[in-house]
Amino acid sequence: MRKQADEIFDKGIFWEMAAEFDKAKAIYEDIFRHVTDERVLEKVRCRMEDIDDLIAEKAVYQRIDENAKRVLSEIGINVIENQPLMDLLMEADAVDLDNETALFIPLKRDYIDHCLEQVPREMPGDPGMNTFGTGATSPFLKRTGDEELRPANREEYRNIILTVGEQQDIVGIFSLPVACDKSISLFEIAQLMEKSYQGLKMITTSAMSDDEVTFLKDKEHWVDGTSLITSLSPMNNMVDPFLRSARTGNNLLLIDQSIAGISGPGSPEAFLTQNHAQVIFMMVIAQTVNPGISCIHCGIPSVIGAGGNLSYSSPHQTFINAALARVNTWITGFPSAQTGGSTSLPDVTPQALTDSELSRNTLRKYGVHILRHAMGALGSLNFFSLEKFLEDCARERRSRIIFESIPKDTGMIPMYFPGDDQALAGIREIAEKGNPKNADHTLKNVDSFRLWEERIIQAAKKKCYYPQLNDIVIDKIKATV
């Protein structure tokens, strides 16, 4: 009987990890009715304390996904002055010409759904959940003992690539980590990466020739990092490279780098809604050009600190990326990549290494698909340090051993994601006024990230998940004791 009760409880955990919380709850309630083993009942009580919060959290993510599509169909994207995109959408009969209330060019809802249905939910060369690696293409290489800031040269890039290749047990994605000078081209870097690293690789191709771009075609372990729009408008210098990559058939990593309160709304829900909308617009364009092309959702929402600069040491940076990961792993099923595991600090110090470790561990506990920028990045992605990369890998190796030894019957950790029933209206207001800073919605939500953090920390004080593996939340609690 005990074995049967354990198996039934394990089924509940299975449904939790699949984000089917209603099914998990039904199983737990059934255990309460039929099982008398106090050991099992205690585990069920622990899960029932969280299950309604998880159900509510998933409902907000479902609304984010729905409202993102409504952004495209009811507010629209400002492509009227971009002739290539307008011609593409008009030829596909994608524009809703009957919509008289949209601010920009609205898409037909059925066309949006049709294109998103064509996005493969399985990605070639998928490295699996909680895959951490490099990224950011930081403008400067941080050199030990050298204060001059400059990109990496040919020999330095050779060394970086060989060093990353030696850490393949930990680095699950080798995304271009730093800019290069004129002594080496991106195409040459891609060729060196191909020789030394066997796993998933990412590079940008906008500066490559037409022939060089085809190097990535039909290679399941390569992704082409590209972007198209920001603030609901196209970046005109990215349109031709984006369309070229899509027509070539490269696996696309679709990047949106919105910043809360700067290029996107201020509330977490409205912010993720716009970020998600912009990525799925890129998916629509990619599927219009090349139906069935592989697309990775790389919305990488970011936050700023008190000084107005990106703040990778902020818990809010980690939380908002974990939440967007859940939008995709729980709701859409799109392969996805986030940003995290870095620091705002510019130098390789114990605190910088700790910032990065705590962020990685937090994202691991909440669950992400692919995480870029997790090793070697400094100064909110302005610098890449090979010294820090090796230290990050060493810490990550230890963390992974600890995490893999922890029992997996804890269930899913709620994030208590804050709902905002004015999210869509807020996005529309910002689009009308042209800037989040001028919007009433932004002012009303100035404390929304701080309040969300407080909610997470207060809940963690009552129930601490995986205390063996320190993370941002646990560290915050310890700091107040």
Side-chain angles (χ1 to χ4, degrees), residues 78-94:
N78 190 15
V79 296
I80 188 65
E81 295 182 359
N82 190 281
Q83 203 60 47
L85 293 179
M86 279 300 301
D87 289 346
L88 187 72
L89 292 169
M90 291 299 291
E91 185 177 345
D93 193 26

Side-chain angles (χ1 to χ4, degrees), residues 300-317:
I300 48 175
S302 294
V303 301
I304 57 172
N309 298 317
L310 286 177
S311 183
Y312 266 73
S313 292
S314 169
H316 306 161
Q317 179 75 22

Side-chain angles (χ1 to χ4, degrees), residues 23 56 59 61 63 79 101 103 107 140 148 158 168 196 201 204 237 262 283 285 301 331 338 340 345 353 368 393 464:
K23 293 180 180 179
Y61 297 149
R63 183 167 66 188
V79 296
T101 59
L103 298 176
L107 302 185
F140 305 114
E148 184 180 353
R158 284 182 181 275
Q168 293 191 54
S196 297
K201 296 170 282 291
T204 57
N237 65 323
I262 302 297
M283 290 181 172
I285 296 297
I331 309 300
Q338 307 306 136
L345 300 176
L353 295 169
V368 296
C393 286
C464 188

Side-chain angles (χ1 to χ4, degrees), residues 135-164:
T137 317
S138 303
F140 305 114
L141 177 64
K142 178 79 78 168
R143 300 163 176 86
T144 304
D146 185 349
E147 295 302 317
E148 184 180 353
L149 296 176
R150 58 189 187 275
N153 61 34
R154 176 181 290 272
E155 288 307 311
E156 288 168 331
Y157 237 113
R158 284 182 181 275
N159 186 38
I160 290 169
I161 290 168
L162 289 173
T163 303
V164 173

Side-chain angles (χ1 to χ4, degrees), residues 211-386:
D211 288 340
E212 289 171 344
V213 170
T214 62
F215 176 74
L216 276 63
K217 182 176 172 60
D218 298 326
K219 288 185 171 70
E220 67 175 26
H221 286 100
W222 272 101
V223 293
D224 185 337
T226 187
S227 188
L228 185 62
I229 62 171
T230 183
S231 301
L232 302 182
S233 298
M235 296 178 284
N236 290 329
N237 65 323
M238 289 301 299
V239 173
D240 288 343
F242 183 96
L243 295 176
R244 181 181 65 173
S245 292
R247 289 181 176 125
T248 300
N250 294 345
N251 301 317
L252 302 180
L253 183 81
L254 304 175
I255 302 170
D256 182 276
Q257 303 180 85
S258 296
I259 303 172
I262 302 297
S263 56
S267 82
E269 181 176 345
F271 183 38
L272 286 196
T273 300
Q274 181 168 317
N275 183 292
H276 185 46
Q278 293 177 165
V279 176
I280 64 174
F281 177 78
M282 288 187 261
M283 290 181 172
V284 168
I285 296 297
Q287 297 303 320
T288 301
V289 170
N290 195 340
I293 189 173
S294 176
C295 296
I296 300 174
H297 187 302
C298 189
I300 48 175
S302 294
V303 301
I304 57 172
N309 298 317
L310 286 177
S311 183
Y312 266 73
S313 292
S314 169
H316 306 161
Q317 179 75 22
T318 298
F319 295 155
I320 197 68
N321 274 273
L324 186 53
R326 287 186 169 184
V327 170
N328 287 304
T329 57
W330 289 13
I331 309 300
T332 71
F334 298 138
S336 59
Q338 307 306 136
T339 182
S342 186
T343 177
S344 301
L345 300 176
D347 298 307
V348 184
T349 63
Q351 187 58 53
L353 295 169
T354 297
D355 283 353
S356 300
E357 181 179 6
L358 295 178
S359 177
R360 286 193 302 270
N361 286 345
T362 305
L363 288 159
R364 185 196 329 274
K365 291 179 179 183
Y366 288 132
V368 296
H369 185 190
I370 297 167
L371 186 69
R372 298 166 63 235
H373 318 149
M375 285 97 163
L378 286 162
S380 292
L381 311 187
N382 280 311
F383 315 111
F384 175 78
S385 162
L386 205 52

Side-chain angles (χ1 to χ4, degrees), residues 422-444:
Q422 295 300 307
L424 194 61
I427 293 170
R428 187 180 186 94
E429 181 199 3
I430 290 167
E432 288 174 332
K433 294 183 176 179
N435 193 315
K437 296 179 181 179
N438 300 327
D440 292 338
H441 181 269
T442 304
L443 296 174
K444 291 176 182 177

